[in-house]
Structures are given as structure tokens and as C-alpha cells.
Amino acid sequence: DSRGAAEGLPTLTVTTILEDPYVMVRGAELEGYCMELLGALAGMLRFQYRVKVVGDGQYGAVAAGGNWTGMIGEILRREADIAVAPLTVTSAREEVVSFTTPFLQTGIGILLRKDTTSQDLSFFHFLSPFSKETWTALLFAYLLTCFCLFLVARLSPCEWNEPKNEENHFTFLNSLWFGAGALALQGATPRPQALSVRVIAVVWWLFTLALLAAYIANFTALLSSGSEQLPIQTFEDLVKQRNLEFGTLEGSSTFYYFKNSKNPIHQMIYEYMEKRREHVLVKTYQEAVQRVMDSNYAFIGESISQDLAAARHCNLIRAPEVIGARGFGIATAQASPWTKPLSIAVLKLRERGDLDYLRNKWWESSCLRQSRDRWGPLEPPALGGLFLTLGIGLALGVLAALAELSSSSRRAAAHAKKSCCSVFTEEICTRLRIKGTARQSQETSGKANA
């Protein structure tokens, strides 16, 4: 930067590592999250910089001879002034170099390929689109609707001509059959004739149509999504299974996290990787992602990087459990005058929202994944309006049947010169086949004949 040199700005040598989306090669230039972060820091602190990719492609670990490899080693050997990369802040690294305030928070997760983690669907998987509460509410709505059909058909004068001498077609069993036919989008006899019965039938048809549409859409989404059947949810699940190999980056902080952990599960993971290190440890992050996609392999690494891989590749998914919360920081030499200014600049970028902007920009998903969080079983509140509409329709049907029976009773009362209320009561008892009232009516008729 000749302009910067003419202004007398200090020049820093920056070491980094190629990893999407932090640092990537585009033509003859480098770009990515870390490059934009570096540019923002240079503008705030007034320095120019020269970026170099780490020679051995390592982050930084202690070699067999006691020397440090990777970006940490380059800072210790004064080959670079700072390291701007997805470099995890650890106690071992903090002993030999200094770190700024973390600019990204992350943890350790498990990256899997969806088809390697799928398992056989349960025998009753067809019930998955709705929750247990929804199925219970549906059964109650079905029985209530069929009972209302049975009741309204008996009350309505339009459903029979001679209620004293003939049977109504809408028996309770026929009403159950009529409701079941609507659930299957099939017409079923008997055919409703009264307006009140037709109101209930139409509302029930609309209810079943919307319900079946929701069921089919949710069931299709559940079948196309593998996350709800993900058998590996935790690191313990990963250790217990035998179908997938698993490993991490060689010499990474993740590897040493499991090595130093006292957790028995973590120790089992470390022993597995140590015994098979030539086969399960990978050199680069790109190699790890490619291996997960091409073979039965699970990659243990930074969760934030795995989220990016799952967003870019639709057949990848990260297991829910994340352990070992940690952060990415900028490494400098101990007693470097740049450590504190860089930390303050990172805090300012966070307070201004610039770090969140960069995170959203470079982690933008190009793959619309259907996860269990989006396509879970439908709960009753999601269908509350549908059940409310059905309830209103049932109430309107019952009121219409009572209105029809009331109108018929008024005409009969006027013809027989009786009280409208008594005729209305007699009609209800006759249509509902109330035995006590019917027997009393027969006895009264017998005495009159005598």
C-alpha cells in the first residue's frame, strides 16, 4: 500500500489460514469474514497490513520437539505480527501468545450426513404429523359432530314424514358412517335433506378438507426431513453407535479438548481418535466436510463452521448437542503493543453491530432445510380456528333444527288448537323416542277410547 506507506502508517504482517468463509481465494485476492474484519480494524487503528497464508496449514499446536506449529509458531518465530483467523482461545496458546477479546463465539459439535444417520421409521409414523393432543381433539370433534348430526336429523321435521310410524335414516351408526366418509373425502348415505343437517354436513366437510390438507403437507415435510429421526443427538450417542467413524482436525484445539477432558465419554472419544489417528484425523476443514459427504464419517469440530457447512450443503446436518463453549480471538505476540488496541477495536465493532452484520453476511444460507423445529407435529393451537369454525357450525345446525321444529309445532298447534309448547314437547319426545312420555301418551289415548 504505497499510499499508506507515504502517510507513515505501520505495516503488520498477518498470518491466516484458508477456511470458508473466514478466508477464501477469489482470483488473485483473499476475501471472507476475517478479511473484512481485518480491513475494519485497520481503518480504526490506522495501520496497513500484508496477509500471508500459514505455511504448514495448521492452526497451532505443540509438536514432538516442543516447538509450536501453525499460526502460533509463526508468531513465536516473529514471522508474523498477528494472526487473524478462526483461532480458538485456549489456555495452552494463551501461555505463549496473547489473545484479544473474542470476535466470534462457538463450541464443539458433530457434523453428519443425513442419510447416514437416518433410521427405520416407527410403525406408527403416520401419526407423526399431529400431536397426541391434536388427535384427541380430532376424535372428540368427530364424535361430537356425529352426535349433532344424529340429534338434528331427529329434531328436524324435514328428515321424516311420519315420526310416529317410521325410523329416521340418521341413526347414530349411520351418522358415524357419514362422518367417516367425509374424513375420507367420500360421499356416504344417508343424504341430508333438512337445511339444519346440511349446515352441519357442510361445516364438517370444510373442516375435514382443511384438516386433510394440513395432514398431507406436514406428513410430506416429515418424510422429506431426516432431522426428526436423527439417532445421534449427543456425543454419548456417537460413542455407542458402530456405523460411523468420527474424528477431528489433527492438532486442533478440539482434539486437545477431548485429550484433557475428565469426562468418561470425552475420554472414550479421544482414545478412539488416538488409536485410529492416521485414519480418522483430517488435515483441513475442507477435507473433513468432503469426507462427511462421501463416506460414513462424522466430523467433530467448531459448531459455527458446521452451521455454515449445513447451510451450504443440504444433505448435511449438525447434531443438537454443543459442548466446550469457546471463542475465536486475534493472536499477537506477548507484550505486543497491538493487543489492547485490537481488543478495544473488536469491542467497538461488536457494540456498533458490525460483527453481527458480518456474521449474517457470510453465514447466509443457500439451502432451505426442513428441520424438526419447522416441521414438528401440529399442536391444537395451530388448528384452533378450524375447531372454532366447526363448533360454530354445529351450534348453527342445532339452532336451525330447533327453528324448523318450532315452526312445524306452531302449525300443528294451530291446527289441533293446542298449546304450542305442549305440541313442541310432544314432537321432541316422539322424535327422540322417549319411552316414558310415549307410554303415558298411549295410556291417555286408551282411556279416551274406553
Side-chain angles (χ1 to χ4, degrees), residues 366-401:
S366 59
C367 173
L368 298 177
R369 296 182 295 135
Q370 296 174 341
S371 64
R372 182 176 177 83
D373 295 337
R374 180 179 297 180
W375 300 107
L378 287 179
E379 300 290 340
L383 301 173
L386 196 59
F387 283 99
L388 178 62
T389 303
L390 177 63
I392 293 175
L394 296 181
L396 290 177
V398 173
L399 291 176

Side-chain angles (χ1 to χ4, degrees), residues 255-271 323:
F255 180 81
Y256 289 100
Y257 173 86
F258 288 100
K259 180 180 180 179
N260 300 325
S261 176
K262 302 302 181 183
N263 188 305
I265 299 298
H266 300 170
Q267 278 295 306
M268 294 173 64
I269 293 176
Y270 167 72
E271 292 172 1
I323 61 174

Side-chain angles (χ1 to χ4, degrees), residues 6-18:
E7 295 176 357
L9 297 180
T11 302
L12 299 182
T13 301
V14 181
T15 180
T16 189
I17 192 170
L18 295 179

Side-chain angles (χ1 to χ4, degrees), residues 199-216:
V199 168
I200 294 180
V202 168
V203 172
W204 177 245
W205 288 338
L206 292 176
F207 175 83
T208 56
L209 185 63
L211 193 74
L212 287 175
Y215 176 87
I216 294 172

Side-chain angles (χ1 to χ4, degrees), residues 28-58:
E29 297 181 353
L30 296 176
E31 68 174 20
Y33 177 93
C34 288
M35 299 308 300
E36 290 199 22
L37 174 64
L38 182 58
L41 294 174
M44 295 177 64
L45 300 180
R46 302 290 294 166
F47 66 84
Q48 60 180 347
Y49 55 88
R50 180 177 64 88
V51 181
K52 62 185 293 291
V53 177
V54 61
D56 58 5
Q58 300 293 318

Side-chain angles (χ1 to χ4, degrees), residues 52-75:
K52 62 185 293 291
V53 177
V54 61
D56 58 5
Q58 300 293 318
Y59 289 86
V62 181
N67 296 323
W68 281 81
T69 61
M71 292 177 283
I72 301 297
E74 291 190 350
I75 292 178

Side-chain angles (χ1 to χ4, degrees), residues 76-335:
L76 293 176
R77 294 189 297 270
R78 305 294 180 179
E79 298 175 5
D81 298 306
I82 61 175
V84 182
L87 189 61
T88 306
V89 180
T90 65
S91 58
R93 291 171 179 171
E94 189 74 50
E95 290 180 355
V96 295
V97 298
S98 296
F99 280 97
T100 65
T101 301
F103 57 85
L104 267 180
Q105 297 294 331
T106 182
I108 300 176
I110 308 171
L111 185 65
L112 308 157
R113 195 173 78 247
K114 288 182 179 179
D115 57 1
T116 61
T117 61
S118 61
Q119 61 184 17
D120 294 336
L121 300 179
S122 63
F123 190 72
F124 295 99
H125 186 66
F126 67 93
L127 298 176
S128 300
F130 293 158
S131 65
K132 295 179 181 179
E133 293 78 7
T134 304
W135 284 115
T136 303
L138 175 59
L139 178 61
F140 178 78
Y142 167 69
L143 294 177
L144 179 62
T145 302
C146 294
F147 176 75
C148 288
L149 278 173
F150 165 74
L151 178 64
V152 169
R154 284 189 168 274
L155 293 178
S156 176
C158 301
E159 287 298 330
W160 43 13
N161 297 321
E162 294 291 337
K164 296 181 180 180
N165 302 325
E166 66 174 337
E167 275 293 331
N168 188 282
H169 295 296
F170 271 97
T171 63
F172 189 67
L173 289 179
N174 286 344
S175 299
L176 291 176
W177 177 247
F178 183 88
L183 282 173
L185 298 181
Q186 300 293 324
T189 55
R191 308 286 184 182
Q193 299 177 4
L195 175 63
S196 55
V197 182
R198 289 179 178 179
V199 168
I200 294 180
V202 168
V203 172
W204 177 245
W205 288 338
L206 292 176
F207 175 83
T208 56
L209 185 63
L211 193 74
L212 287 175
Y215 176 87
I216 294 172
N218 210 39
F219 191 49
T220 303
L222 287 174
L223 289 179
S224 62
S225 173
S227 60
E228 78 283 351
Q229 291 295 328
L230 187 65
I232 299 178
Q233 302 282 337
T234 64
F235 285 88
E236 184 176 359
D237 296 335
L238 183 64
V239 172
K240 290 180 179 179
Q241 59 82 38
R242 293 293 179 268
N243 297 326
L244 297 178
E245 296 179 323
F246 53 88
T248 187
L249 290 175
E250 184 177 3
S252 64
S253 60
T254 301
F255 180 81
Y256 289 100
Y257 173 86
F258 288 100
K259 180 180 180 179
N260 300 325
S261 176
K262 302 302 181 183
N263 188 305
I265 299 298
H266 300 170
Q267 278 295 306
M268 294 173 64
I269 293 176
Y270 167 72
E271 292 172 1
Y272 174 89
M273 294 190 297
E274 180 64 26
K275 290 179 181 178
R276 300 168 176 81
R277 61 180 306 133
E278 297 296 330
H279 187 59
V280 299
L281 297 184
V282 294
K283 301 293 183 182
T284 64
Y285 175 77
Q286 290 78 9
E287 178 187 350
V289 173
Q290 193 63 41
R291 186 167 177 180
V292 172
M293 296 177 63
D294 296 340
S295 62
N296 292 337
Y297 180 77
F299 173 61
I300 302 175
E302 301 293 346
S303 60
I304 193 169
S305 300
Q306 293 175 349
D307 290 338
L308 176 70
R312 300 284 175 84
H313 305 283
C314 298
N315 62 334
L316 299 184
I317 189 172
R318 179 175 62 80
E321 186 180 32
V322 176
I323 61 174
R326 54 184 63 189
F328 291 154
I330 299 174
T332 65
Q334 288 185 337

